[in-house]
Amino acid sequence: MLFARNLWTDYHTAMRDLLKKHFGYDDFLPLQEEIISSVLKRRDALVLMPTGGGKSLCYQLPALRFDGLTLVVSPLIALMKDQVDALKSNGIAAEFINSTLSYAEISRIQAQAQRGALKILYIAPERLALPGFQNFLARLKVSLVAVDEAHCISEWGHDFRPDYRNLGGLRRSLSGVPFLALTATATARVRRDIVELLHLNEPQRFIASFNRANLRYSVLPKRNAFNALVGLLQRHRDESAIIYCFSRKGSDDLAARLCDEGFNARPYHAGLDNDTRRETQERFIRDQVSIIVATIAFGMGIDKSNIRLLVHYDLPKSLEGYYQETGRAGRDGLPGECVLFYSYGDKRKQEFFINKIEDETERRNAQEKLERVIEFCELQECRRRYILRYFGEEWDKENCGGCDICLTPREEFDATIIAQKILSAVIRTGERFGVSHISGVLRGADIRRIRELGHDKLSVYGIVNDFSDSDIKEIAGLLIARGLLYKTSRQYATLGVTEAGWSFLKNRETLTFTRLKREEETVTVSGRAALDYDPALFGNLRVLRSQIASERSVPPYVVFSDATLQQMAYYMPQSHDSLSRISGVGAVKLEQMGDVFLSVIRAHARLHNLKERSVPD
Ligand code: ADP
Ligand code: ZN
């Protein structure tokens, strides 16, 4: 027993040493260690982890322990160079082969692989169809194959790549070599396809929680949305943000208005030419443009870990899309704020387009998906729970601490009178109108339709002056939930009073509701790792990082992530030893860049008379 435990401890320590030395991390993220140990036992595995969950490490670390080459298949050609640069900057021998390289470059890399001088080789799936490439592979010593974005192999996934089907053949020719399939999006059906088509051999399945603990979700009413957006962006000044819009024109207009307000914003959509798009994307990744106003196309092929604010300025079409898009925020584990602007008008706009879909099943599907988005927007309970349940995961925490509902304090109020007034107005107007009309009548709105219908002559006209339009709508929603009102399911939903509603009025019952204390501005985002760091020093470190990144022509996060710089700006390490204890500082980076970063930290500390804090082990 004791012996076994010692072996385990040794193994554990060895893994952590590798992790620190080559990647600079102090600890594994959830599941990483289990997955890595399964891979090292040469077992096939299927990994489902949300974006930002840390999938890459699951093959990058084993690659260092294996004798032969680790082959990584990925369809995201645009990301390969950055990934390889990041590995090289950590002193790991890695290369990639895809269509962006010349014939000569490819030959050089192939020769290098054959000599056994490479640990990790990224390849695009279309290579597998080339006979020459097959020959090349046949002469290699391959120790591990990692199939990234493995859902691409399934026609039921959202991004089918026929070339992925060739991986089945590769599996057969490399029998005995472990295959690791990784994806962030897979339904049960796609999961089955992956296992079957890749011929995985009794794979172990690793399914991580899809909860993104560092993201905060909120929904704001789309009134004065532009001002609200400006407020959000001001709070996130000099940070990266993506704003999603419904249309190309919407994205152009919004970007222009933001620029007029002094923000550094660019539009991004399919109507722009390739060069403009590429340049915009490039500048965003390199922190030279801070705000992208995009249609949903943006973000597929980019790997930017420090997006702090993600806004849906228009209503998304589905919760799958919403989850995937919000997933681009906070990939570095630091706080990310996700804000959705919701209005009834947007719902109508989406419905208008859905009604144009000719295929009946497809149209129903789209309607169904939109319904769930609306439900999410009108939710009175934890939004995180709703999202996770939608993806089949139970979330049992009472308060998630990271959505507007859970973060906004609630207060009780006596709703008896206002409920009586709303029910009366529904009855007096003949149970033929929707909530907007009812609200207008109650608040005595001067609207032509109300006058034409003679509703300004009703006794209920103008009897509410202590509740706003949105209050009344919210309370009507609660009355529906309580079963006192009902909503017809026709397109222009009208309200009617239920049996219970009638008896509530007749018996003069009382009613207490809780409501959100909306007027108190909500708490600022608090994520796991948010440190009270020195912002001026952080700024200086970012400048240094940009300089190094452009000298090496790599994106800034390849040098150090925001999380790492924030730790430096908090602990202010002044020696190699304490710098090396910062998460994200590995042996190679310490040697190459330790001195320049230390000199900036030391200068700042001296100038402001600040002391180093001890970095926990
Ligand atoms: P995925 O491929 O699942 O989207 P990545 O592999 O890109 O995720 O990792 C997401 C982020 O988490 C990256 O910024 C990466 O540097 C960081 N990361 C990965 N593993 C660790 C770890 N053990 N400790 C700290 N950060 C990590
Ligand atoms: Zn919540």
Side-chain angles (χ1 to χ4, degrees):
M1 258 334 270
L2 199 62
F3 179 65
R5 197 178 310 145
N6 277 342
L7 265 184
W8 168 246
T9 322
D10 287 351
Y11 169 79
H12 211 65
T13 317
M15 283 297 137
R16 257 150 233 255
D17 286 350
L18 269 184
L19 182 68
K20 182 64 197 171
K21 177 160 175 244
H22 290 285
F23 301 93
Y25 303 135
D26 299 318
D27 211 338
F28 290 100
L29 297 177
L31 280 185
Q32 281 181 332
E33 200 170 12
E34 287 95 312
I35 297 167
I36 289 168
S37 105
S38 153
V39 170
L40 288 175
K41 287 182 201 140
R42 298 176 196 270
R43 291 197 54 178
D44 284 359
L46 172 64
V47 172
L48 253 99
M49 232 187 226
T51 308
K55 286 187 282 302
S56 332
L57 191 79
C58 301
Y59 52 83
Q60 290 173 346
L61 193 143
L64 301 176
R65 298 275 295 214
F66 287 134
D67 291 342
L69 181 76
T70 290
L71 208 57
V72 184
V73 182
S74 166
L76 303 174
I77 290 180
L79 295 188
M80 284 185 189
K81 184 176 178 306
D82 290 346
Q83 273 160 343
V84 165
D85 283 342
L87 286 167
K88 285 181 173 168
S89 78
N90 276 317
I92 299 168
E95 291 292 351
F96 66 90
I97 295 184
N98 65 32
S99 53
T100 65
L101 297 188
S102 69
Y103 183 74
E105 284 168 314
I106 293 178
S107 308
R108 179 182 59 79
I109 291 166
Q110 290 191 339
Q112 223 179 327
Q114 236 127 34
R115 262 188 285 124
L118 283 184
K119 281 275 128 195
I120 304 182
L121 179 62
Y122 283 79
I123 61 166
E126 60 270 17
R127 294 282 124 189
L128 297 169
L130 309 174
F133 197 76
Q134 291 287 352
N135 288 338
F136 157 68
L137 285 181
R139 280 176 285 134
L140 275 186
K141 179 174 160 65
V142 177
S143 291
L144 169 67
V145 178
V147 181
D148 210 358
E149 313 289 335
H151 58 274
C152 293
I153 202 169
S154 169
E155 278 172 289
W156 301 101
H158 54 80
D159 197 15
F160 176 51
R161 305 283 176 117
D163 283 321
Y164 262 58
R165 290 290 166 89
N166 294 322
L167 285 165
L170 184 68
R171 177 84 194 85
R172 269 191 292 268
S173 61
L174 291 174
S175 68
V177 174
F179 267 54
L180 180 65
L182 309 111
T183 175
T185 46
T187 57
R189 176 154 212 169
V190 172
R191 253 181 261 171
R192 244 180 292 138
D193 269 5
I194 294 174
V195 171
E196 218 164 275
L197 298 167
L198 271 180
H199 301 291
L200 295 184
N201 181 18
E202 293 179 27
Q204 242 188 303
R205 292 173 171 77
F206 296 96
I207 301 175
S209 167
F210 273 59
N211 179 35
R212 296 286 310 276
N214 58 322
L215 299 189
R216 188 178 101 180
Y217 303 98
S218 52
V219 176
L220 293 178
K222 200 170 175 178
R223 269 180 278 120
N224 295 326
F226 184 72
N227 289 341
L229 178 65
V230 167
L232 283 171
L233 291 168
Q234 270 160 354
R235 269 208 282 125
H236 290 277
R237 252 210 195 276
D238 297 327
E239 296 178 346
S240 296
I242 301 180
I243 302 164
Y244 284 112
C245 286
F246 185 68
S247 66
R248 296 175 187 183
K249 184 166 182 313
S251 127
D252 284 335
D253 292 350
L254 188 57
R257 284 178 78 188
L258 288 173
C259 287
D260 290 345
E261 294 288 323
F263 291 102
N264 184 359
R266 295 277 177 288
Y268 185 101
H269 53 70
L272 299 169
D273 62 78
N274 280 341
D275 286 344
T276 311
R277 286 214 310 250
R278 198 170 316 122
E279 194 202 314
T280 300
Q281 180 168 316
E282 200 67 5
R283 297 188 49 173
F284 182 59
I285 290 174
R286 296 182 198 283
D287 287 339
Q288 291 156 354
V289 161
S290 48
I291 305 165
I292 295 285
V293 188
T295 53
I296 43 163
F298 186 75
M300 290 303 283
I302 76 155
D303 181 11
K304 184 166 171 53
S305 65
N306 62 346
I307 293 166
R308 301 267 82 89
L309 174 68
L310 199 136
V311 177
H312 282 90
Y313 201 68
D314 297 317
L315 200 61
K317 292 189 186 63
S318 69
L319 280 180
E320 284 92 338
Y322 174 76
Y323 179 80
Q324 197 171 36
E325 283 137 29
T326 51
R328 293 179 182 133
R331 289 188 56 168
D332 50 10
L334 294 179
E337 187 173 6
C338 309
V339 179
L340 189 164
F341 285 99
Y342 169 60
S343 75
Y344 204 71
D346 269 5
K347 176 188 173 221
R348 287 279 176 72
K349 198 157 79 182
Q350 292 278 19
E351 280 169 348
F352 174 78
F353 285 102
I354 289 176
N355 285 330
K356 284 189 174 167
I357 299 176
E358 287 191 4
D359 182 81
E360 163 134 19
T361 341
E362 218 177 288
R363 188 174 60 243
R364 282 243 193 85
N365 230 329
Q367 266 156 356
E368 185 68 27
K369 298 215 147 140
L370 183 63
E371 285 290 320
R372 297 288 89 74
V373 175
I374 304 298
E375 246 172 55
F376 173 78
C377 292
E378 294 184 347
L379 217 55
Q380 297 291 325
E381 52 163 58
C382 179
R383 300 199 199 271
R384 188 178 305 272
R385 188 184 308 140
Y386 188 91
I387 299 175
L388 290 174
R389 247 189 222 153
Y390 183 80
F391 292 109
E393 188 175 329
E394 275 305 319
W395 169 268
D396 46 16
K397 266 200 198 154
E398 190 58 36
N399 185 319
C400 83
C403 77
D404 51 353
I405 307 279
C406 292
L407 285 170
T408 317
R410 290 179 161 258
E411 58 181 1
E412 283 200 336
F413 72 102
D414 182 354
T416 309
I417 308 273
I418 183 71
Q420 287 169 350
K421 287 178 178 174
I422 293 174
L423 294 180
S424 304
V426 170
I427 293 167
R428 292 285 142 76
T429 52
E431 301 186 286
R432 288 188 294 119
F433 298 91
V435 68
S436 296
H437 186 78
I438 300 295
S439 164
V441 170
L442 284 170
R443 287 179 302 110
D446 186 18
I447 294 171
R448 203 167 88 197
R449 182 135 186 272
I450 291 181
R451 285 197 306 273
E452 280 172 2
L453 289 160
H455 288 173
D456 56 338
K457 305 286 183 310
L458 297 174
S459 59
V460 289
Y461 182 76
I463 57 168
V464 172
N465 54 23
D466 47 351
F467 288 91
S468 71
D469 179 49
S470 65
D471 289 340
I472 293 177
K473 287 177 177 162
E474 190 179 328
I475 295 168
L478 295 172
L479 290 170
I480 294 172
R482 199 55 83 86
L484 303 186
L485 279 179
Y486 68 91
K487 209 179 193 175
T488 58
S489 53
R490 268 173 288 139
Q491 197 182 5
Y492 298 98
T494 62
L495 295 176
V497 176
T498 63
E499 287 287 333
W502 281 100
S503 79
F504 165 78
L505 285 176
K506 247 188 284 165
N507 303 334
R508 304 194 162 268
E509 290 164 23
T510 59
L511 193 62
T512 310
F513 279 149
T514 63
R515 65 179 163 197
L516 302 173
K517 278 189 182 169
R518 294 254 182 209
E519 58 279 13
E520 276 179 34
E521 209 357 60
T522 42
V523 204
T524 45
V525 190
S526 66
R528 286 176 299 184
L531 284 175
D532 188 18
Y533 59 86
D534 185 317
L537 176 54
F538 178 57
N540 294 347
L541 293 170
R542 279 177 55 141
V543 171
L544 174 61
R545 175 176 70 176
S546 295
Q547 284 165 357
I548 296 177
S550 65
E551 274 163 25
R552 300 183 170 193
S553 11
V554 296
Y557 72 84
V558 165
V559 177
F560 282 126
S561 71
D562 277 11
T564 301
L565 295 191
Q566 289 181 7
Q567 290 208 13
M568 291 185 195
Y570 178 78
Y571 293 109
M572 306 194 189
Q574 318 215 346
S575 65
H576 272 241
D577 182 48
S578 41
L579 183 61
S580 77
R581 264 181 278 151
I582 298 279
S583 172
V585 183
V588 173
K589 287 186 180 174
L590 181 68
E591 194 190 308
Q592 291 181 347
M593 299 181 290
D595 287 331
V596 275
F597 277 87
L598 281 175
S599 69
V600 168
I601 297 169
R602 285 194 196 116
H604 184 86
R606 210 174 317 122
L607 191 62
H608 300 278
N609 208 5
L610 298 165
K611 288 229 155 42
E612 168 171 342
R613 290 185 166 97
S614 74
V615 187
D617 275 318

